[in-house]
Amino acid sequence: MAEQRRDARDVREEAQVAPERGELDGRDARDEVERAWDELVATACRTVADGLVVGTSGNVSVRLGDTVLVTPTGVPYDRLRPEDVVGVDLDGRQVRGSLLPTSELPMHLAIYRATDARAVVHTHAAHATAVSTLVPELPLIHYMAGALGGPVRVAPYATYGTAELAENMLRALTHRTACLLQNHGTIAYGSSLHQAYDRTAQLEWMSRVWLLSASVPGLTPSLLSGEQVTKAGERLRGYGQR
């Protein structure tokens, strides 16, 4: 009987503890979403501060499991609050928030479905957009192209927010982590918001360098070979602190 009473008490104690664990798990999940949303909003605001977008152009997203948090359409980033979180599933169904997600959602979801990306940054960066109107791919003006997988391609123009644009983008992103969108802007992805943003900034910088060097009358900028960029890319994979 004593053994039976002890077993029953253990069962009751476990039943009491279980909801507490569930609450902790739920709180942890909420905290993760809040942290991710805060970082997403900060990254979006940084695209404005760094001159990569104007007004509400461009958009940012981050993936948490099967949920994608994404900036809403038509809302200035500096006005976004914690309670404005917007989330969709990988099929585009809204699962969090009441604000409508960005009109460029098809591009973001296409990347998440086709790659191991955890974050995506899309901008209308001026120099990169200018390059997208001039050439089919950014000339190899700097070895940092290796950090993006090689020569950065230009995805053919299509109306914003369409499946056609998402398809064009995916083709340009084959074996790449960033591309230009013709007469539109840039898109880059990474394993984190920091990496996706850094790749975006590097692409804009390389575009500016090429435009500057190509604009000098009577001179033609020297370009790197594909082999040189590939070697640089291999070396860059070991760059930084481990």
Side-chain angles (χ1 to χ4, degrees), residues 43 46 52 121 144 147-148 178 188-190 192-206 239:
T43 301
R46 188 179 176 189
L52 299 177
V121 174
M144 282 304 293
L148 305 179
Y189 70 86
S192 65
L193 280 165
H194 174 79
Q195 187 177 60
Y197 183 86
D198 183 66
R199 286 170 171 169
T200 300
Q202 292 287 354
L203 178 52
E204 169 65 356
W205 179 82
M206 285 190 292
Y239 176 79

Side-chain angles (χ1 to χ4, degrees), residues 36-131:
W37 180 251
D38 287 346
E39 187 179 3
L40 181 150
V41 172
T43 301
C45 287
R46 188 179 176 189
T47 64
V48 177
D50 290 353
L52 299 177
V53 304
V54 175
T56 60
S57 64
N59 27 78
V60 179
S61 69
V62 63
R63 180 175 178 176
L64 297 177
D66 291 331
T67 298
V68 175
L69 304 184
V70 63
T71 48
T73 185
V75 180
Y77 302 139
D78 60 359
R79 296 183 189 176
L80 291 175
R81 302 164 297 175
E83 58 267 32
D84 291 328
V85 59
V86 176
V88 301
D89 65 17
L90 293 175
D91 292 320
R93 290 185 292 265
Q94 190 154 353
V95 296
R96 285 183 177 273
S98 58
L99 295 175
L100 295 176
T102 173
S103 57
E104 296 290 13
L105 188 60
M107 283 202 299
H108 291 256
L109 295 181
I111 289 175
Y112 290 121
R113 289 194 291 258
T115 74
D116 60 355
R118 309 306 296 182
V120 175
V121 174
H122 164 53
T123 78
H124 292 178
H127 297 93
T129 302
V131 170

